[in-house]
DNA sequence: TGTACATCAGTGAACGCGCGTTCACTGATGTAC
DNA sequence: TGTACATCAGTGAACGCGCGTTCACTGATGTAC
């Protein structure tokens, strides 16, 4: 979850072959539309119209509508993981101690979600999760694996911390790891539902505070 | 959000007029379907087939598909508020002190979400929020107001507490109030995405712990 | 450098299906006198 | 208690539209010799 937070890496867009550019444009349009109104309510017609190609041009790039969903989620998950990797790298660089590094990471995370809502209409993971049965089993499995992977990422880090700092509250580390994702997903829903775009960031800040307190820092 | 957590009050079902019973059955079926695959992907055809009536019978009970959404959300919000009222009443009854009453309330809340996932496929508020543009403005406004109402409910209680107990962490009370909802929504997404149905309850327990620590109890 | 062929990135027309919605009608139940 | 009428809770057939998908074709670009 929080899966939600990847940004577009639009670099060197003009050097890529034409077909890849069109494909990316369709994926961008599909992302926004799906997160706004759902997968079933997003028609191929509206996407190709916005992309400026014909309906059959779509089927040159995607086998069918399910294929669009699959490619979309794959790209999204890859970009997010890359971004988290980069943030973890920077945080670890700035502090040797795993707890302080994690708190720096969460500060970066907070900043990331800060402008996230300003740029994105929502979170693809939440959208997929909430229209589960609209997607084929491959997409559903992809989604589940991505969530579990992030759980594992944070859990490993938290175990490192717990080896050095005693936990001050009665909580399983798995749940603390999930809490990072839960805050992002729930925060995005809160922001979307209320229209208070800054709410997500404030929830991320509260989450960071919770982690800090959990280890008594 | 957490809006998600209402249960059906199926009492005296046999005393109500026939039409009302059919209408309720359609609403129940629509709820499950919408939360599973989304509003646009849920067809009137499948609902009436499952309900055992004809397609035109549907339009006797609902003006159009938007009307179904409106009635559904209205019923859902009303049931949830009623349930929260009841839980607050019981909690306040068990302890005079607002902080301890709130912690009792959160324990009840935790229990409620505990079997929630076992009985429900998801949360209507999250579903509506994530297919925002599939719904008409009335439904969207209804959704926003319901979320803000719950924010207000928890905020008032937290202010009562804060007048007696100093806050131990640097957080706005509004964000702490939102945190209750955020945990529910995010937790449901986590549970749905991973298939780990107990995850939601554990997140609720963590949230309670956070509130407890925030006031240094 | 020129020609032959292959691949890329599409077009345009057509398809059948399922969807939301309407409309004229109906049989069962409730109510007034 | 019986009859007249109204309302309730639907049925069945038909509608047009938009959707996802297919198919035969094409003009531009890239590659081999």
């Amino acid at each position: 979850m929080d899966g939600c937070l990847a940004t577009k890496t639009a670099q060197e867009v003009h050097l890529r072959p034409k077909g890849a550019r069109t494909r990316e444009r369709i994926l961008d349009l599909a992302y926004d539309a799906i997160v706004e109104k759902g997968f079933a309510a997003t028609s191929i017609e509206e996407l190709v119209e916005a992309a400026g190609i014909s309906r059959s041009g779509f089927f040159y790039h995607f086998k069918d509508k399910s294929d669009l969903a699959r490619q979309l989620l794959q790209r999204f998950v890859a970009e997010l993981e890359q971004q988290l990797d980069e943030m973890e790298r920077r945080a670890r660089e700035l502090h040797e101690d795993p707890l302080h590094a994690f708190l720096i990471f969460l500060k970066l995370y907070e900043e990331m979600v800060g402008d996230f809502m300003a740029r994105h209409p929502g979170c693809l993971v939440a959208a997929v999760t909430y229209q589960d049965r609209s997607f084929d089993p491959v997409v559903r499995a992809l989604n589940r694996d991505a969530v579990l992977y992030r759980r594992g990422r944070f859990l490993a880090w938290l175990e490192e911390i717990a080896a050095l700092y005693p936990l001050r509250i009665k909580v399983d580390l798995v749940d603390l790891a999930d809490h990072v994702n839960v805050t992002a997903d729930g925060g995005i829903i809160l922001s979307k539902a209320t229209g208070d775009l800054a709410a997500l960031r404030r929830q991320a800040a509260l989450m960071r505070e919770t982690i800090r307190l959990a280890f008594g820092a």
Side-chain angles (χ1 to χ4, degrees), chain A:
Chain A
M1 340 245 277
D2 74 319
C4 332
L5 311 166
T7 49
K8 287 156 205 161
T9 60
Q11 57 190 149
E12 294 177 322
V13 114
H14 293 286
L15 298 178
R16 289 204 306 260
K18 195 186 171 220
R21 252 152 50 214
T22 305
R23 190 178 146 277
E24 293 288 307
R25 206 160 70 251
I26 296 172
L27 288 175
D28 289 346
L29 291 162
Y31 174 80
D32 288 357
I34 288 171
V35 153
E36 281 255 21
K37 15 176 231 191
F39 184 62
T42 299
S43 72
I44 292 172
E45 174 60 26
E46 68 173 289
L47 297 178
V48 299
E49 196 191 346
I53 58 168
S54 69
R55 209 154 50 246
S56 32
F58 173 90
F59 289 95
Y60 173 74
H61 293 286
F62 306 96
K63 192 179 147 289
D64 51 27
K65 210 189 174 189
S66 283
D67 188 38
L68 169 70
R70 223 194 53 239
Q71 290 196 36
L72 192 55
L73 192 58
Q74 254 159 0
R75 185 185 73 158
F76 180 82
V77 167
E79 278 179 9
L80 174 68
E81 289 309 332
Q82 201 183 320
Q83 212 172 350
L84 293 180
D85 282 345
E86 170 62 15
M87 281 163 53
E88 174 161 356
R89 198 191 54 71
R90 282 176 57 198
R92 298 251 194 201
E93 213 172 67
L94 290 170
H95 213 298
E96 273 193 354
D97 179 87
L99 175 56
H100 288 96
F102 195 55
L103 292 173
I104 291 169
F105 170 84
L106 289 180
K107 191 72 194 169
L108 296 175
Y109 191 80
E110 187 191 320
E111 282 166 16
M112 178 175 83
V113 304
D115 29 60
F116 176 76
M117 270 286 127
R119 289 196 324 275
H120 292 67
C123 166
L124 192 62
V125 170
V128 170
T129 302
Y130 256 97
Q131 290 133 252
D132 208 63
R133 301 282 143 188
S134 286
F135 297 95
D136 72 10
V138 176
V139 173
R140 297 210 291 266
L142 213 64
N143 192 44
R144 205 199 58 234
D145 292 351
V147 170
L148 291 176
Y149 180 80
R150 280 198 294 285
R151 171 191 272 185
R153 166 197 283 272
F154 295 130
L155 179 58
W157 205 339
L158 288 172
E159 278 168 347
E160 232 183 290
I161 296 167
L164 299 174
Y165 296 83
L167 255 178
R168 297 293 177 90
I169 62 173
K170 211 178 111 261
V171 67
D172 197 300
L173 286 183
V174 173
D175 298 326
L176 213 51
D178 282 342
H179 183 233
V180 180
N181 294 325
V182 165
T183 299
D185 288 332
I188 290 172
I189 291 178
L190 173 71
S191 282
K192 266 178 87 76
T194 60
D196 176 1
L197 297 188
L200 169 59
R201 182 182 182 146
R202 298 197 312 264
Q203 289 298 313
L206 172 56
M207 182 261 288
R208 184 167 171 273
E209 204 65 10
T210 300
I211 302 262
R212 211 170 57 76
L213 249 81
F215 291 104

